[in-house]
Amino acid sequence: MDSDVSIPQGLPEKIPVHIAIIMDGNGRWAQARNLPRIAGHRAGTENLRRIIEACIEFGISYLTIYAFSTENWGRPQDEVQGLLHILEDVIDRELQELHDQGVQLHHIGRLERLAPHLREKVLHAVDLTRGNQRLVLNVAFNYGGRDEIVHAIQEMIKDGVQAADVTDEMVSKYLFTAGIPDPDLIIRTSGELRISNFMIWQGAYAEWYFPPVYWPDFDKEQLRLAIHEFSQRERRYGRVSSPVVDIEPNG
Ligand code: FPP
């Protein structure tokens, strides 16, 4: 699947602080080449490295990627094992370089279901990169938006939070993304038009962008195009465009 939209040069003045991506289409990318699905995920992982670099170059502060959902456990076992292996491989092979580039790694989702040695690797990566400031990379792995909200409610109850004290801000503090600004722009590649349980709380006022390319083909220039499109959008947060002229009642 190719996009024939012409790509603008440079970057607009208004760029998103936080971009979140549903990296969809790896399976179809592989299928179109008569390759196993996991080859698509590997190509998607190589692309991720390029997009991280582009985000650093473009001055994006936060990037969130949907790498494995709470529903993905239902995929064929070899694909699940392949994705777990990719996570481990990325940490083993890329951690030092990401650290050197100033990337702060953050995990969102549940670590409990991962094997203890993999859990340790994730925690080590988070710990090592804690002080980095150039780009915060949130890896959503074993993540689901509903599960995140259920988890937040459970934690609030455990902490004895009173019903009257529950506010938007309080809920946000109990999410896996506590302290991280909401995404401004959410990109889902491959042409699918669904949220699929991704950042359902945080994405309440995000701008969505659905490029018609599979994730392994979503390159730096496609990202530039997405940022340009974002810069043209008017975000109203449920209000109206300003300036607002009130009509006087005429007696
Ligand atoms: C969706 O495409 C993609 C995924 C479920 C996995 C995405 C994961 C990666 C790109 C690698 C992750 C990197 C890390 C750090 C672990 P799909 O398989 O649903 O594609 P399809 O809809 O064409 O079948």
Side-chain angles (χ1 to χ4, degrees), residues 23-29 37 41 44-45 48 65-67 72 75 79 83 86-87 90 139 141 215:
M23 308 179 290
D24 198 10
N26 294 343
R28 280 164 285 166
W29 183 93
R37 291 180 57 81
H41 295 313
T45 307
L48 178 57
I65 50 152
Y66 204 6
N72 286 156
R75 292 191 173 204
E79 186 171 347
L83 285 164
I86 285 177
L87 176 64
V90 165
V139 180
F141 202 99
W215 169 249

Side-chain angles (χ1 to χ4, degrees), residues 37 62 68 75 80 84 89 91 97 120 136 156 189 216 239 246 250:
R37 291 180 57 81
Y62 298 85
F68 192 93
R75 292 191 173 204
V80 169
L84 288 165
D89 207 40
I91 298 173
E97 199 179 334
E120 285 307 313
V136 175
M156 281 191 276
T189 55
R239 297 187 284 266
D246 280 332
N250 52 9

Side-chain angles (χ1 to χ4, degrees), residues 8-205:
Q9 297 300 301
L11 277 180
E13 206 170 293
K14 181 179 123 187
I15 64 166
V17 171
H18 183 172
I19 297 180
I21 307 183
I22 302 179
M23 308 179 290
D24 198 10
N26 294 343
R28 280 164 285 166
W29 183 93
Q31 197 179 14
R33 289 161 180 75
N34 282 319
L35 294 169
R37 291 180 57 81
I38 200 67
H41 295 313
R42 278 196 221 102
T45 307
E46 282 162 32
N47 192 45
L48 178 57
R49 144 74 44 216
R50 294 189 285 268
I51 292 299
I52 291 170
E53 269 160 27
C55 283
I56 293 173
E57 182 187 327
F58 292 168
I60 303 301
S61 301
Y62 298 85
L63 172 66
T64 299
I65 50 152
Y66 204 6
F68 192 93
S69 75
T70 44
E71 290 71 37
N72 286 156
W73 294 105
R75 292 191 173 204
Q77 266 313 296
D78 60 337
E79 186 171 347
V80 169
Q81 290 309 319
L83 285 164
L84 288 165
H85 183 71
I86 285 177
L87 176 64
E88 186 167 356
D89 207 40
V90 165
I91 298 173
D92 287 345
R93 297 211 287 186
E94 309 269 355
L95 178 59
Q96 192 57 48
E97 199 179 334
L98 289 167
H99 183 42
D100 293 344
Q101 286 176 307
V103 175
Q104 184 186 132
L105 284 163
H106 188 79
H107 169 257
I108 61 172
R110 303 246 197 183
L111 284 181
E112 297 92 299
R113 206 168 157 181
L114 304 191
H117 79 281
L118 184 51
R119 227 182 292 158
E120 285 307 313
K121 284 187 182 191
V122 173
L123 292 173
H124 167 67
V126 170
D127 199 43
L128 178 74
T129 61
R130 192 174 296 282
N132 294 340
Q133 299 290 335
R134 205 134 173 231
L135 172 74
V136 175
L137 175 63
N138 298 310
V139 180
F141 202 99
N142 194 20
Y143 170 87
R146 287 186 174 183
D147 179 63
E148 180 179 39
I149 292 169
V150 167
H151 177 260
I153 294 168
Q154 289 170 341
E155 293 299 310
M156 281 191 276
I157 291 170
K158 277 191 215 163
D159 286 352
V161 173
Q162 296 300 301
D165 295 331
V166 178
T167 58
D168 269 27
E169 292 72 27
M170 159 101 43
V171 174
S172 295
K173 281 191 196 136
Y174 275 87
L175 299 178
F176 298 129
T177 50
I180 292 166
D182 287 343
D184 304 294
L185 172 65
I186 304 182
I187 298 171
R188 182 177 189 147
T189 55
S190 92
E192 300 292 347
L193 307 179
R194 284 190 296 279
I195 293 177
S196 298
N197 206 10
F198 184 54
M199 302 194 96
I200 52 179
W201 175 279
Q202 301 88 335
Y205 285 102

